[in-house]
Amino acid sequence: MDIKNSELFKNQCYINGSWVNADDGSTSNIVNPANSKQLGTVPNCGSNEALKAIKAAKEAYKVWSKTDAKQRSSVLKNLHRLMLEHQEDLARIITHEGGKPLSESMGEIAYAASFFEWFSEEAKRVYGDVIPGHQQDRRTLVIKQPIGVVGCITPWNFPSAMLARKIAPAIAVGCTVVAKPAPETPYSATAMAYLSELAGIPKGVFNVVTGDAEKIGSVMTTHKEVKKITFTGSTAVGKQLLKQSADTVKKVSLELGGHAPFIVFEDANLEDAVDGALIAKYRNSGQTCVCANRIYVQSSIYDDFSKRFTEKASQLVVGDGLAESTQQGPLISEDAMKKASAHVEDAKNKGATIATGGNPHSLGGLFFEPTVLTGVSDEMLIAQEETFGPVAPIFSFDSEKEVLERANNTPYGLAAYFYTSDLGKSWRVSEQLDYGMVGLNTGIISTEMAPFGGIKESGIGREGSKYGVDDYLEMKYISLAGIEE
């Protein structure tokens, strides 16, 4: 990789403060999706290595959970600083292994680092309560304590940010972590582990195990010493992890799939809505859980919006993420290409019009054209499934009541967006959208200061903000008797 600090590129796992290989020496190949060239290998670990990491995390927890909050805060601040110092190298790693444009990767590193800063401050603010007693000789105390060893499973589309969003609050409150990064993008996780060591995080507090997702995940979800599972990924896998965690009654946080509506009312600022939709749809080639999947435009402005949106989408520059001009990189896999093509073909067969794009890109490989579909209807596959690709379907609607019913008609409830200049409508629609997050007159909602997460089949729990530590804490009630003389 063309990075300044070669130490950031690690092709081993990080367990108990040591860089190790799989017990049997087996490895997995990691390729750049932009050119299919091999970047390197990582250990193909399984149950044995996962057990070693859990044991290390359990031993480290005995000390780390008793470390004072100020010290935990200090090392997280160090990690925040180190990530920003190595921002370009870390961004290049993301682009090499995941394909996204370098400008987006730079933004992701800044976003990831922000969680270490935020939770370094929250580490010192885990407060309890003294509750008025129910008897004269009693006092009621409530304290919060770290839950224990955390099993952390992260996706490929934001390999640094999703990991930071989980391990920062866990480490901040005194938990220890065993992380399993996505098989497509392990190097972002191992680079973070390298920097965590430089930041002063003790051995065993943060462990990274690459390899067999099924075997490692099975150990994490069934091991009695793992007290919490946190996962970002597909709804299907999230449901499976929830089932596997049931026998040991683990605390589980899930950030799962979405099917985000993007609603444009006739009173909206049209140019702002077009720009917001472009960002919400095509960021990371449409491969984000909060991407705009269904763009609903009021019928009176449908043609005008579609024309402006299509014109700008058609001008997006597709290419290798390392090229300065690139605005859209490759998709992550052949399966992603097939799904995008299938959604386009299904929509076309059912009467939709391809306003631009619609095909694999002339660059070949895993590149797909930025695509806009008009005349889309609710019975089409793209209206019912998350595409996870650069395909924007534009639906028409007539009334507020109608669009709310259609927008909410999904088992998912992660993110939603809408544009309006009407104050009353702003409140009504925000409250009636069945989603955990709503972007009002904006296509970007992510920040470390806000609670990120969904409802319905899009997840359990929240990440980021002051609420982000709650899932890594247990509440304990202490009844003190014998106060009276």
Side-chain angles (χ1 to χ4, degrees), residues 248-424:
T248 49
V249 196
K250 298 188 191 307
K251 198 170 189 176
V252 178
S253 296
L254 302 172
E255 196 261 283
L256 307 176
H259 197 26
F262 190 105
I263 304 168
V264 184
F265 289 100
E266 61 188 359
D267 54 40
N269 182 308
L270 198 57
E271 201 60 37
D272 286 351
V274 168
D275 290 341
L278 281 166
I279 293 170
K281 174 68 257 182
Y282 294 109
R283 187 161 62 106
N284 198 22
S285 303
Q287 300 173 115
T288 88
C289 54
V290 294
C291 269
N293 283 291
R294 297 167 292 154
I295 301 175
Y296 295 99
V297 181
Q298 201 149 18
S299 54
S300 60
I301 59 169
Y302 183 88
D303 290 341
D304 194 3
F305 176 93
S306 299
K307 181 181 178 181
R308 297 190 195 196
F309 182 83
T310 300
E311 183 178 354
K312 289 194 173 184
S314 65
Q315 294 171 358
L316 292 173
V317 178
V318 180
D320 189 316
L322 293 172
E324 188 175 343
S325 61
T326 295
Q327 295 170 293
Q328 180 185 299
L331 297 186
I332 193 66
S333 67
E334 285 290 346
D335 285 343
M337 291 285 290
K338 291 176 183 177
K339 188 172 187 181
S341 294
H343 279 192
V344 170
E345 191 65 21
D346 174 81
K348 186 173 68 172
N349 291 340
K350 292 176 180 175
T353 298
I354 299 175
T356 189
N359 300 295
H361 200 277
S362 58
L363 290 170
L366 298 177
F367 294 97
F368 199 91
E369 295 175 338
T371 299
V372 179
L373 304 175
T374 57
V376 188
S377 57
D378 291 350
E379 70 270 11
M380 295 175 184
L381 199 59
I382 202 165
Q384 301 162 29
E385 296 180 0
E386 184 178 29
T387 304
F388 234 63
V391 182
I394 307 179
F395 303 76
S396 176
F397 74 92
D398 293 318
S399 70
E400 180 181 325
K401 180 181 178 182
E402 173 204 342
V403 76
L404 280 168
E405 289 177 353
R406 292 169 69 188
N408 289 334
N409 187 26
T410 172
Y412 303 104
L414 188 57
Y417 309 85
F418 72 101
Y419 274 69
T420 181
S421 59
D422 184 295
L423 179 61

